[in-house]
Structures are given as C-alpha cells and as structure tokens.
Amino acid sequence: MNKITFHGNVTDKPTLRFARSGIPVTTFTVATNRRRLNRGTGRWVDLPAVFHRVVCFNGLAENVAASLDKGATVAVTGEFADDSFKREDGTVVRRIQIEAADVAASLRYATATLVKNPRTGTEAATAEPGDEARADRDDTGAEPAESDAGDRPALELVGSE
C-alpha cells in the first residue's frame, strides 16, 4: 500500500471547490520541517521544508475548509495519488499529491472545540477519479461556488502560537 501519515503546518487557507458532479473538493498545502543531527558537530541542522499538496473529498473536504486556516499544525493520513495533466501546449506536468483519508488538527500548540456534524444518512456522492483535477482546473473561468460549510465548522481552533 502507498499510505502515508505526516505532520506539518498549513501554508495557506484551504480552497473549497465543487467538481462538476457536485462533490466537494478541498485542496491545501502542508509544509513539513525537517532536522537532522550532524554527528560531527553534535548540532541539529535544519533542512529545507518539504511541501505536500493535499486533496480531500466529500464531508472531509467541507470540514477541512471550514476548520483549518494558514499556520494550523495538522496530521494528515492518506495515499499518494497521481495528479499529472497535459497543458494546452502539449507538455505534461507530473505531480504527486496526497489524497487524504483523515486530517487532524494538532493540539500541541492550540486548543479546539469539536462540533459533531449531524448525520444525513449516507454520503451524497463518492469521488470519481479525476474529479479533483476538474475542480482545480475549471475551464469556464467562473469563480468556484462557495460552501455553506463555513457557517458550521467541524473543528474550531480556539488559540495557537
């Protein structure tokens, strides 16, 4: 399996869009900072940050968009997914992203108040392969629709450093 779990900081406000099929899709980037011990000097050395592009679907997408903001420390669990596409000029852009199964706010530097979403039965729709690409690359040029999820966050960060 290609599962991954990583911790880091959200680099910008997550973006909620809707695929043509109506499925909520949220994308955001998480920066992970790395340090290594230089055994020669006995000192810790900061390595360049690594940036992970994350995509979420359905209820998770709406909850992430309503709950997280730039700077939040999160733990993301998911799978690697190919997000490659061909540009109009014919060049192929190869990208790998993380398709999140779960996103959790870290309580190490913040407190949170959990608000459980009401059950609506089953998920209205399931994600189809390629929906995230259509949500990110809307060819109509129209602004993505806003979500009502901002009215009721699933997780409200109360304070952070």
Side-chain angles (χ1 to χ4, degrees), residues 113-124:
T113 304
L114 295 177
V115 178
K116 190 170 182 174
N117 291 339
R119 279 192 116 170
T120 59
T122 61
E123 290 278 330

Side-chain angles (χ1 to χ4, degrees), residues 46-101:
D46 291 325
L47 299 175
V50 175
F51 296 89
H52 305 280
R53 187 167 189 266
V54 181
V55 63
C56 307
F57 298 100
N58 298 317
L60 178 60
E62 293 179 315
N63 291 342
V64 164
S67 302
L68 297 181
D69 208 347
K70 180 178 180 176
T73 303
V74 295
V76 177
T77 300
E79 294 184 4
F80 292 103
D82 183 10
D83 186 36
S84 301
F85 62 96
K86 187 180 278 190
R87 292 188 175 144
E88 288 181 13
D89 65 2
T91 59
V92 176
V93 176
R94 296 266 325 180
R95 291 195 306 198
I96 301 296
Q97 65 186 8
I98 309 302
E99 193 171 304

Side-chain angles (χ1 to χ4, degrees), residues 3-161:
K3 301 271 186 198
I4 183 172
T5 298
F6 59 93
H7 301 249
N9 297 319
V10 178
T11 62
D12 206 354
K13 176 79 177 150
T15 303
L16 175 65
R17 293 186 171 94
F18 291 87
R20 289 187 179 116
S21 62
I23 295 171
V25 180
T26 295
T27 55
F28 62 102
T29 303
V30 176
T32 55
N33 298 313
R34 305 175 301 149
R35 300 183 95 197
R36 296 286 186 262
L37 179 64
N38 180 330
R39 296 194 189 275
T41 63
R43 296 180 153 231
W44 287 95
V45 177
D46 291 325
L47 299 175
V50 175
F51 296 89
H52 305 280
R53 187 167 189 266
V54 181
V55 63
C56 307
F57 298 100
N58 298 317
L60 178 60
E62 293 179 315
N63 291 342
V64 164
S67 302
L68 297 181
D69 208 347
K70 180 178 180 176
T73 303
V74 295
V76 177
T77 300
E79 294 184 4
F80 292 103
D82 183 10
D83 186 36
S84 301
F85 62 96
K86 187 180 278 190
R87 292 188 175 144
E88 288 181 13
D89 65 2
T91 59
V92 176
V93 176
R94 296 266 325 180
R95 291 195 306 198
I96 301 296
Q97 65 186 8
I98 309 302
E99 193 171 304
D102 198 16
V103 178
S106 171
L107 300 180
R108 186 172 186 183
Y109 302 110
T111 60
T113 304
L114 295 177
V115 178
K116 190 170 182 174
N117 291 339
R119 279 192 116 170
T120 59
T122 61
E123 290 278 330
T126 58
E128 294 293 325
D131 278 346
E132 69 278 5
R134 286 191 294 274
D136 282 344
R137 296 178 201 89
D138 186 1
D139 54 8
T140 64
E143 284 293 315
E146 291 297 320
S147 167
D148 293 336
D151 298 338
R152 190 187 74 256
L155 175 71
E156 180 181 337
L157 293 177
V158 176
S160 64
E161 293 184 344

